[in-house]
């Protein structure tokens, strides 16, 4: 197959490129604003990197979709600080621009694997089981199932939810096209994947990355580990290699089991509060990488509004039900929480700081582009291009 990976230069995208090159015979077209994270695979015969901005590249994108056998769309703002600071831009990129890709897939009858998010489930306010509310400490209180769980978001004034809402509406449109038999799609809802190359560190790039990178930064320079609203909220962390194994099975789609399906991808047993995550990372750092003299970070409480700005709100807990992926794909995550954290940290602390994927990259931080003006003529990387 010719697989078009939109957002193929990002965290998940770059791991998918490596995985597909290694485990399949497909030709990969990785489309992105930036290729830094592809440095290790650039030059491989079956990979073509295409530099472009989805917001101003319609004609070429339609041609790319038309020529592809499979479209995998990963492009989005995927960082909560952006949902708060630029909600309109999140709606435009994550919904409007991605909808255009959906329309191209409908028009040219291409299978689409669409990245959504576990954030579509929102909060665990009232998952009623029978007549009674479950114990909030019990896992079933927060176990989300693809086809039965309700989606509960915060108020409009908490504009963090625009990300969840935009992704949810995109999912609903895919479902509606599926009902009319006009689109073959699979939706993926990732649950907090972590691993090498997840985000740039705050010191490498302006902005506010996801929590793992903040904590790595604090361990590197002894600054504090911020715990938003005390860090009581919980996440289930999934090692990127477990995730790419599952996504590869979705790409392969043996016996077409993924047609018109939504899959949670996550590690249900890897739940941890953000406070516990900070403590685990600090303890592991102290045991494995600490020089014995540099200051170790303090854990410091901070409010959501102070850390992100007004309009922040949070998911309290989210645990994936992965029964469908186990049944249809024969997939099960392998990495424990401890292994997931240790392997992800090892990338930063065993790794050469001058490695290209570790360097600050201006092109990986798309500027807000409310009017979508034309950008410099997008280039195809001609070292590998056949387009
Ligand atoms: P990422 O930010 O690393 O990847 C997104 C990629 O899209 C980046 O490489 C970025 O350069 C590219 N991009 C952004 N705007 C673009 C534009 N205008 N034109 C071309 N390329 C553009 O994020 P990720 O963690 O790899 O997430 C990938 C997808 O998975 C996203 O849709 C995200 O919402 C979803 N997701 C990820 C996670 C996770 O655990 N990482 C969890 C839930 C959902
Ligand atoms: C993120 C993004 O929304 C998406 O990438 C994706 O949908 C989702 O992760 C996912 O990976 O599944 P979230 O988990 O809230 O959502 O993002 P993080 O920045 O990693 O924050 C996790 C928690 O840590 C939040 O409660 C946040 O408030 C907290 N946090 C963040 C801190 O306590 N300290 C920090 O320094 C940063």
């Amino acid at each position: 197959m010719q697989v078009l990976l939109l957002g193929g230069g990002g965290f998940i995208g770059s791991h998918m490129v490596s995985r597909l090159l290694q485990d399949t015979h497909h030709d990969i077209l990785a489309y992105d604003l930036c290729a830094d994270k592809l440095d290790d695979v650039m030059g491989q015969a079956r990979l073509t990197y295409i530099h472009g901005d989805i917001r101003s590249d319609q004609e070429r994108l339609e041609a790319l979709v038309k020529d592809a056998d499979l479209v995998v769309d990963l492009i989005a703002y995927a960082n909560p600080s952006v949902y708060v600071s630029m909600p309109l831009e999140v709606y435009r990129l994550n919904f409007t621009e991605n909808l255009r890709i959906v329309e191209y897939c409908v028009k040219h009858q291409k299978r689409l694997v669409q990245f959504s998010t576990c954030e579509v489930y929102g909060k665990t306010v009232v998952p009623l089981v029978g007549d009674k509310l479950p114990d909030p400490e019990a896992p079933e209180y927060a176990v989300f199932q693809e086809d039965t769980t309700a989606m509960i978001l915060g108020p409009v004034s908490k504009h963090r939810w625009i990300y969840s809402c935009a992704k949810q509406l995109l999912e609903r449109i895919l479902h509606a096209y599926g009902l009319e038999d006009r689109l073959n799609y699979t939706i993926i809802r990732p649950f907090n994947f972590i691993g090498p190359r997840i985000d740039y560190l705050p010191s490498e790039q302006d902005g506010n990355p996801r929590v793992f990178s903040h904590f790595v930064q604090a361990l590197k320079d002894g600054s504090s580990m911020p715990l938003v609203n005390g860090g009581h909220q919980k996440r289930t962390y999934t090692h990127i290699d477990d995730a790419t194994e599952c996504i590869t099975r979705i790409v392969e789609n043996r016996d077409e089991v993924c047609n018109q399906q939504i899959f949670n991808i996550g590690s249900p047993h890897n739940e941890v509060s953000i406070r516990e995550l900070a403590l685990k990372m600090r303890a592991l750092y102290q045991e494995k990488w600490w020089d014995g003299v540099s200051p170790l970070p303090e854990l410091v409480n901070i409010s959501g509004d102070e850390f992100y700005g007004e309009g922040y709100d949070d998911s309290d807990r989210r645990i994936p039900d992965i029964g469908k992926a186990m049944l249809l794909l024969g997939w099960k995550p392998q990495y424990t929480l401890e292994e997931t954290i240790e392997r992800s940290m090892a990338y930063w602390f065993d790794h050469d700081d001058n490695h290209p994927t570790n360097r600050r990259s201006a092109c990986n931080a798309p500027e807000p582009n409310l009017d979508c003006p034309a950008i410099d003529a997008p280039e195809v990387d001609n070292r590998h291009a056949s387009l």
Side-chain angles (χ1 to χ4, degrees):
M1 286 195 294
Q2 178 150 296
V3 181
L4 176 61
L5 279 181
L6 301 171
F11 164 52
I12 302 174
S14 63
H15 282 274
M16 278 313 297
V17 168
S18 305
R19 189 81 182 214
L20 292 174
L21 288 173
Q22 189 187 297
D23 292 355
T24 74
H25 298 290
H26 306 315
D27 290 324
I28 312 300
L29 278 76
Y31 179 102
D32 208 296
L33 286 166
C34 186
D36 282 14
K37 295 182 181 180
L38 295 173
D39 219 70
D40 288 346
V41 286
M42 205 57 113
Q44 295 206 19
R46 286 186 289 114
L47 172 64
T48 302
Y49 169 66
I50 303 166
H51 174 80
D53 185 329
I54 193 183
R55 297 168 296 188
S56 52
D57 202 8
Q58 282 86 20
E59 230 174 89
R60 190 169 62 149
L61 276 164
E62 180 168 358
L64 287 166
V65 169
K66 190 165 171 233
D67 287 347
D69 297 303
L70 171 68
V71 179
V72 180
D73 188 1
L74 296 126
I75 290 179
Y77 290 107
N79 190 317
S81 74
V82 182
Y83 320 158
V84 176
S85 63
M86 300 194 300
L88 273 181
E89 187 64 10
V90 169
Y91 153 73
R92 286 185 172 124
L93 182 69
N94 295 11
F95 179 72
T96 314
E97 298 298 338
N98 281 307
L99 181 58
R100 209 195 311 270
I101 302 299
V102 176
E103 308 282 1
Y104 295 152
C105 290
V106 170
K107 182 173 168 189
H108 298 290
Q109 286 294 285
K110 300 298 172 176
R111 177 172 176 240
L112 173 64
V113 174
Q114 178 66 54
F115 272 73
S116 183
T117 174
C118 60
E119 288 210 7
V120 294
Y121 294 110
K123 301 172 169 229
T124 60
V125 186
V126 274
L128 280 169
V129 177
D131 293 324
K132 60 181 175 58
L133 278 170
D135 170 5
E137 289 307 314
E140 56 269 29
Y141 185 77
V143 175
F144 297 153
Q145 202 278 333
E146 296 95 333
D147 304 309
T148 54
T149 301
M151 296 165 171
I152 304 165
L153 306 190
V156 169
S157 57
K158 298 292 183 190
H159 48 265
R160 182 242 171 86
W161 297 109
I162 199 162
Y163 168 79
S164 163
C165 199
K167 292 266 193 185
Q168 187 194 130
L169 184 55
L170 199 65
E171 286 197 18
R172 291 187 188 277
I173 291 171
L174 293 182
H175 175 74
Y177 272 124
L179 289 176
E180 292 188 4
D181 226 4
R182 294 168 65 190
L183 179 66
N184 183 9
Y185 69 84
T186 307
I187 291 167
I188 292 176
R189 294 181 182 157
F191 282 68
N192 289 78
F193 300 170
I194 57 172
R197 310 193 292 274
I198 179 165
D199 284 324
Y200 292 91
L201 299 182
S203 60
E204 294 174 315
Q205 191 168 56
D206 294 339
N208 187 343
R210 285 168 278 196
V211 67
F212 183 77
S213 303
H214 274 288
F215 289 174
V216 168
Q217 181 79 65
L219 293 167
K220 273 181 171 276
D221 61 19
S223 58
S224 58
M225 292 171 129
L227 296 181
V228 173
N229 297 329
H232 304 296
Q233 58 281 33
K234 293 180 176 172
R235 297 291 187 266
T236 46
Y237 283 99
T238 309
H239 192 278
I240 186 68
D241 291 347
D242 274 332
T244 55
E245 173 62 34
C246 187
I247 300 163
T248 303
R249 292 177 193 210
I250 290 172
V251 165
E252 296 300 273
N253 197 18
R254 298 241 187 272
D255 302 325
E256 310 221 327
V257 292
C258 304
N259 295 357
Q260 332 295 29
Q261 290 289 356
I262 302 175
F263 288 98
N264 289 336
I265 301 183
S267 296
H269 300 300
N270 289 359
E271 193 183 28
V272 66
S273 76
I274 299 302
R275 184 180 182 79
E276 287 161 353
L277 175 70
L279 290 169
K280 278 179 187 291
M281 287 177 69
R282 191 174 66 178
L284 189 64
Y285 176 77
Q286 193 166 4
E287 181 195 321
K288 289 201 62 145
W289 293 288
W290 189 43
D291 61 10
V293 289
S294 308
L296 288 167
E298 296 294 320
L299 275 54
V300 173
N301 290 337
I302 183 167
S303 76
D305 280 3
E306 232 181 306
F307 191 73
Y308 291 105
E310 218 174 300
Y312 183 70
D313 197 2
D314 209 348
S315 298
D316 47 345
R317 290 182 75 187
R318 48 196 199 205
I319 302 173
D321 178 325
I322 55 166
K324 199 201 284 192
M326 288 170 70
L327 182 70
L328 295 184
L329 302 169
W331 172 82
K332 207 168 93 175
Q334 304 296 322
Y335 291 100
T336 63
L337 179 65
E338 277 65 30
E339 288 165 345
T340 299
I341 295 171
E342 181 169 347
R343 282 166 178 259
S344 303
M345 286 176 68
Y347 171 77
W348 292 102
F349 296 108
D350 288 343
H351 200 268
D352 171 11
D353 273 351
N354 288 320
H355 191 279
T357 56
N358 248 359
R359 287 201 302 259
R360 178 195 158 89
S361 163
C363 60
N364 205 39
E367 290 296 315
N369 191 1
L370 299 182
D371 300 322
C372 296
I375 58 159
D376 293 340
E379 300 147 15
V380 171
D381 185 328
N382 286 318
R383 284 174 289 174
H384 330 288
S386 54
L387 285 163

